[in-house]
Amino acid sequence: MALHSEHSSVYVAFHFVIIALLNLTSVTPGRGSSHALSLLQPYDFLYYSGVRSYFSEEWVKAAELLEKAIITKESLFRVRRQCHDDCVAAGRDAFNRLDSEGGSLWDLWTLDWIQQKAECLRFCIGGSVTPAGQLPVSTDIEYEFSTRNPYNYLQVTYYKLEKLQKAASAAHTYFVANPSHLEMRNNIEKYRRMEGVTEEAFLDSELENEKHWVLYDSAVQCEASSDWVQAAEKWKACVNNTLRQTDECRVQCEVAPQRLPEDRGVNSNDGVFEKAAALSLSVLSCQQSCVTQVATRPGRISSQEDFLPTQLEHLHIAQFKAGDINGAVQTLRSLLLFYPSDKDSLDNLQLYYETLGGDAESQGTQPAQEIVRYFSRALEEKRLLYFGMENLDFSFTDPDLWTPEDVVPESLRNNWRAEQEKINDKIKEGEQKEEVDDSGFFSGGPVLQVGVTITMDDQVMNGTNRVVLDGVMTEKECDRILQLATAAASAGDGYRGRRSPHTPHETFEGLTVLRAAKLAHDGMVNQSDARLLHELGERVRELLHSYFRSPSGLFTSFTHLVCRSAVAGDQEGRLDLSHPVHVDNCLLEPETNQCWREPPAFTHRDLSAILYLNDNFNGGDLFFTNRDARTITARVKPSCGRLVGFSSGPVNPHGVTALTRGRRCALALWFTKEKIYRDMEREEAEAMWAAGGQNVANKDKEEPDGGATPARNARNQAPTERSRGRGRVTGGKDEL
């Protein structure tokens, strides 16, 4: 670089603000409004207008606006990308003079380059987007689109317009990002049975942005079947798509409008260099966060750690097993950029060299150039960001585990090491083959009820905090609750005749304690049977509280009487489960052995129980697995009065085998150690009975209130991803 030495430090500082100045100038509103009607409008305005039309039941208008909002957002991102690419060469002549000429005008040549590029971006974007459409949208809108809520509205809108193919497509697209939304799952099964709806409807409309996850899952499946050639191809495509998606995200950070951080805004005392540095650091931080964004599955909050290095590790192993040793060497060298001293990787590299017979040419194989570019840029960005943290009071969360320690300033290393250790510990916990239950429960306590016996314990069930107790109910009590379920179904409890939310081959009926109390109050069912349903919940709570030696109070969180029935004539060739393998208080991810304790999981659940009422059916067995969801560790056959209790966390993944004949009824119960999540419906039922002069024992109320605020029913209390001061627009009509 032909610069005088006295200007070197100034040049470095000036170069540091280039991206910032570029972003400040590139988003200025562009051309006039003569052709405004042909320009892209603000997609947030279109969305809100569509939602208003939805709640006004103006279905045609709602569909038009919601569709347009989705398309406009996609178009805006494409315009930004295209303008970014078109303006790469803008001002290049001025920039090249920095390398070819000396003198004191380098700062003006740099500014010339910035202005020309800013002008190019301004007119390029302004030629396709209205000034209002170029403004940043609120975090509320970002959240709505990230959770795919527009499709939630669209599926109902299309259904009302009798556009069933489109309704099914919208339902499926929403469900991909919201897999625990049982009503939407139920809607999808309804659509499958509707005339005119074809299998082509059930495709993810957002697939273009999630191809890397489709390829990731496909590659894992190929590995599981030992198809290493296909696995290598899928992993390579997955790596390429991950890099492409990361680049798309980074471009949006660079071209989209940026605001100064709040503490460095227009009213701060910082000079132009400080403000520009703060903005440029914000852009770099945004680009670094793309790692997290791309590594987060639809519908999840937490990202998969070490996403790209993990793919490279899978790829080189698949290439080796497929016989592509040279490819494996290149991929492994790429992985070593991130972890240069990893012993396993170095040992594998030596193995690959030996397999090639010590070929000198293979030892000179270099990492893939696209990985080198990615790594080099990320590393330099981290240096600048950590410099900003140490010297400019900037906040930055490093998304990567591979960051070299020497990049982190000495003054920040202790905190950095602590954070790295926390993440590594979390990953190691997920990889442990022997599970450790941190629930606070300890099986083996006394069984207080006379006549109840322990049939299976931890040792027999090959697990932790699991138990099967027999004799919890008498045959007569089982018959009474079965009659209650039948009577409630006849009275119309809102579930009758519905397909199961977990399989189209079964129907189910459900009854809560409060619903039973109301039906009894109206004379629709026997009052004593409704009270027995309530009392059974208390009976189970006392048994398990004692057996699992809970050190704190245990509160009933939800009680649900559920009967599943096999659909006659719809069982041949069936391969699915009555209830897929899951964990009750976290989101199980079998391919990584992780279980994410975050919404939409019911994270407040601590203890689970199933009390069976009958056995005159085929299938419907409860089974437990390891975190891989495949290795079965225990199986339980239902029978009248048999109670299965277990801690609700990741040590106890479980599912239910297909019900192929008959009707299976059981009382499902969940308990919590947090009083705020107690079942308020039970208390409402108790209040009804008390008002009618019927006393009901309520052990949950024996403990002092402690000033706790009553909560809604805990089954509706799974915490949302964010709490907002402003109300988030949500759809309340997502079930057909």
Side-chain angles (χ1 to χ4, degrees):
M1 186 75 66
L3 298 175
H4 293 170
S5 59
E6 64 267 22
H7 297 309
S8 296
S9 60
V10 181
Y11 173 76
V12 172
F14 199 89
H15 183 74
F16 192 56
V17 308
I18 286 175
I19 294 178
L21 293 177
L22 177 59
N23 279 277
L24 282 170
T25 57
S26 65
V27 298
T28 306
R31 300 171 182 174
S33 58
S34 60
H35 61 303
L37 292 179
S38 63
L39 303 182
L40 294 177
Q41 304 298 311
Y43 71 87
D44 53 350
F45 174 75
L46 294 169
Y47 177 61
Y48 277 131
S49 299
V51 171
R52 281 195 292 270
S53 298
Y54 173 93
F55 284 108
S56 299
E57 299 188 1
E58 300 175 62
W59 304 119
V60 173
K61 187 176 180 182
E64 179 186 352
L65 289 168
L66 290 168
E67 285 175 352
K68 196 170 182 180
I70 294 171
I71 293 170
T72 299
K73 178 178 180 287
E74 295 172 352
S75 299
L76 175 63
F77 279 45
R78 282 197 299 270
V79 165
R80 288 175 180 167
R81 175 75 212 204
Q82 189 60 53
C83 289
H84 173 273
D85 295 345
D86 290 348
C87 293
V88 165
R92 181 62 62 185
D93 291 342
F95 185 74
N96 289 339
R97 294 174 71 182
L98 292 169
D99 288 322
S100 61
E101 300 184 32
S104 59
L105 300 180
W106 62 270
D107 53 339
L108 298 180
W109 298 331
T110 305
L111 184 59
D112 184 19
W113 169 54
I114 293 172
Q115 288 183 335
Q116 289 188 51
K117 190 155 188 174
E119 179 194 37
C120 179
L121 286 169
R122 173 179 179 174
F123 281 93
C124 181
I125 295 176
S128 300
V129 187
T130 64
Q134 296 179 49
L135 297 175
V137 299
S138 68
T139 54
D140 289 330
I141 285 293
E142 289 178 348
Y143 180 74
E144 289 290 293
F145 278 82
S146 68
T147 56
R148 302 191 181 183
N149 215 36
Y151 293 97
N152 192 1
Y153 291 112
L154 272 175
Q155 72 98 13
V156 178
T157 303
Y158 289 139
Y159 178 76
K160 296 291 186 180
L161 294 172
E162 299 184 357
K163 296 182 178 181
L164 301 183
Q165 186 84 349
K166 285 189 172 184
S169 178
H172 178 80
T173 300
Y174 177 78
F175 184 71
V176 168
N178 300 272
S180 295
H181 199 288
L182 297 186
E183 283 77 14
M184 194 64 77
R185 183 197 293 266
N186 194 44
N187 288 349
I188 289 172
E189 294 305 332
K190 289 178 182 178
Y191 286 129
R192 289 188 187 279
R193 298 192 298 272
M194 289 181 181
E195 187 177 352
V197 178
T198 65
E199 213 38 53
E200 285 72 24
F202 302 100
L203 298 175
D204 184 3
S205 299
E206 297 281 331
L207 181 62
E208 186 62 29
N209 298 323
E210 310 295 346
K211 276 186 178 177
H212 56 297
W213 281 116
V214 175
L215 290 163
Y216 186 99
D217 293 337
S218 179
V220 169
Q221 291 173 5
C222 290
E223 282 185 351
S225 59
S226 299
D227 186 349
W228 296 110
V229 173
Q230 278 294 311
E233 290 180 5
K234 296 293 185 184
W235 281 121
K236 192 164 188 177
C238 185
V239 168
N240 291 335
N241 272 270
T242 298
L243 292 172
R244 183 188 65 80
Q245 198 60 40
T246 303
D247 183 60
E248 289 292 331
C249 174
R250 290 172 60 87
V251 165
Q252 297 302 320
C253 291
E254 186 175 329
V255 182
Q258 297 283 347
R259 290 194 179 99
L260 284 168
E262 291 182 7
D263 59 342
R264 302 296 174 85
V266 293
N267 296 321
S268 73
N269 295 323
D270 287 339
V272 65
F273 273 81
E274 289 89 341
K275 289 179 179 177
L279 182 54
S280 64
L281 287 170
S282 295
V283 174
L284 292 181
S285 179
C286 174
Q287 291 181 322
Q288 283 278 300
S289 71
C290 289
V291 172
T292 302
Q293 182 175 322
V294 172
T296 304
R297 282 183 182 271
R300 297 285 177 84
I301 298 172
S302 302
S303 62
Q304 183 169 323
E305 302 290 353
D306 253 0
F307 189 47
L308 183 59
T310 296
Q311 294 175 47
L312 293 173
E313 185 169 18
H314 280 277
L315 175 57
H316 82 75
I317 293 172
Q319 288 172 321
F320 176 73
K321 292 191 175 184
D324 181 11
I325 313 300
N326 287 316
V329 169
Q330 183 181 55
T331 302
L332 188 49
R333 281 198 169 277
S334 300
L335 177 59
L336 283 166
L337 290 172
F338 300 94
Y339 293 102
S341 58
D342 181 70
K343 185 178 184 302
D344 289 339
S345 295
L346 292 172
D347 289 345
N348 283 332
L349 188 63
Q350 186 60 37
L351 170 65
Y352 296 168
Y353 287 156
E354 292 172 0
T355 304
L356 290 168
D359 179 26
E361 184 177 340
S362 67
Q363 296 189 25
T365 301
Q366 297 300 309
Q369 284 306 300
E370 61 272 19
I371 302 297
V372 172
R373 286 193 295 270
Y374 173 92
F375 173 81
S376 301
R377 186 166 188 87
L379 196 61
E380 190 56 35
E381 288 173 353
K382 292 177 190 294
R383 294 185 194 279
L384 292 170
L385 285 160
Y386 278 114
F387 179 88
M389 287 181 70
E390 183 181 36
N391 300 291
L392 300 174
D393 299 323
F394 186 77
S395 297
F396 166 60
T397 301
D398 196 331
D400 294 307
L401 292 174
W402 57 262
T403 303
E405 187 170 306
D406 60 8
V407 171
V408 183
E410 189 67 40
S411 62
L412 303 175
R413 283 185 191 172
N414 286 338
N415 289 337
W416 176 81
R417 289 188 190 115
E419 288 300 317
Q420 295 292 95
E421 286 175 7
K422 284 181 185 177
I423 297 173
N424 283 319
D425 288 344
K426 181 180 176 182
I427 293 175
K428 287 176 183 176
E429 285 174 11
E431 293 174 348
Q432 285 179 350
K433 291 186 178 178
E434 253 190 69
E435 294 282 4
V436 176
D437 191 348
D438 60 358
S439 64
F441 297 116
F442 302 94
S443 60
V447 177
L448 301 177
Q449 185 177 324
V450 176
V452 175
T453 57
I454 300 174
T455 302
M456 301 173 74
D457 59 9
D458 285 351
Q459 185 174 1
V460 177
M461 298 181 79
N462 302 306
T464 304
N465 284 329
R466 302 174 180 175
V467 69
V468 175
L469 303 175
D470 278 329
V472 176
M473 295 176 68
T474 65
E475 290 284 350
K476 184 177 180 180
E477 286 176 327
C478 287
D479 289 341
R480 286 175 60 188
I481 299 301
L482 286 169
Q483 290 171 9
L484 175 65
T486 301
S490 299
D493 66 345
Y495 290 92
R496 183 176 46 140
R498 273 175 41 169
R499 292 272 175 167
S500 165
H502 306 294
T503 171
H505 304 288
E506 300 173 18
T507 59
F508 82 115
E509 305 148 16
L511 183 66
T512 64
V513 171
L514 178 59
R515 179 62 177 159
K518 288 181 176 178
L519 290 172
H521 181 269
D522 295 338
M524 308 290 285
V525 300
N526 189 295
Q527 185 73 253
S528 62
D529 292 345
R531 292 184 62 195
L532 175 60
L533 181 66
H534 174 278
E535 191 271 326
L536 286 171
E538 276 300 296
R539 190 184 301 179
V540 171
R541 188 186 71 84
E542 290 179 355
L543 278 168
L544 297 185
H545 186 271
S546 174
Y547 181 79
F548 286 114
R549 295 181 281 195
S550 175
S552 59
L554 195 64
F555 305 93
T556 304
S557 176
F558 188 42
T559 306
H560 198 201
L561 172 58
V562 177
C563 293
R564 304 173 185 273
S565 300
V567 177
D570 194 20
Q571 303 298 319
E572 186 176 352
R574 181 177 173 186
L575 298 174
D576 65 347
L577 297 171
S578 178
H579 198 145
V581 176
H582 63 285
V583 176
D584 284 347
N585 70 9
C586 56
L587 303 173
L588 181 63
E589 193 172 74
E591 63 270 19
T592 61
N593 287 334
Q594 297 283 355
C595 203
W596 304 101
R597 195 156 186 176
E598 60 187 35
F602 296 93
T603 57
H604 56 274
R605 291 177 175 173
D606 296 307
L607 198 62
S608 304
I610 307 164
L611 181 57
Y612 295 109
L613 303 176
N614 65 322
D615 60 5
N616 55 335
F617 50 84
N618 291 344
D621 292 351
L622 175 72
F623 63 93
F624 292 87
T625 73
N626 290 335
R627 286 203 198 189
D628 62 9
R630 294 192 301 270
T631 307
I632 295 177
T633 56
R635 188 183 291 263
V636 181
K637 284 193 168 294
S639 63
C640 167
R642 172 165 287 181
L643 172 67
V644 184
F646 50 94
S647 58
S648 303
V651 297
N652 286 319
H654 56 283
V656 179
T657 62
L659 180 67
T660 57
R661 184 189 65 81
R663 183 169 180 252
R664 172 190 185 271
C665 293
L667 191 61
L669 306 105
W670 292 274
F671 304 94
T672 178
K673 291 184 279 188
E674 300 181 64
K675 188 173 183 179
I676 190 174
Y677 292 118
R678 69 192 185 278
D679 190 349
M680 300 301 293
E681 286 194 0
R682 288 178 67 87
E683 296 186 5
E684 190 176 340
E686 291 157 3
M688 286 181 61
W689 284 319
Q694 302 180 53
N695 293 323
V696 179
N698 181 9
K699 302 293 179 65
D700 284 356
K701 290 186 175 178
E702 289 180 0
E703 299 191 12
D705 184 30
T709 304
R712 294 170 296 160
N713 189 333
R715 62 197 164 106
N716 296 323
Q717 286 276 325
T720 55
E721 179 175 350
R722 355 181 143 181
S723 297
R724 303 182 180 282
R726 292 166 287 171
R728 181 172 69 83
V729 181
T730 56
K733 300 182 180 179
D734 51 10
E735 185 177 4
L736 304 181

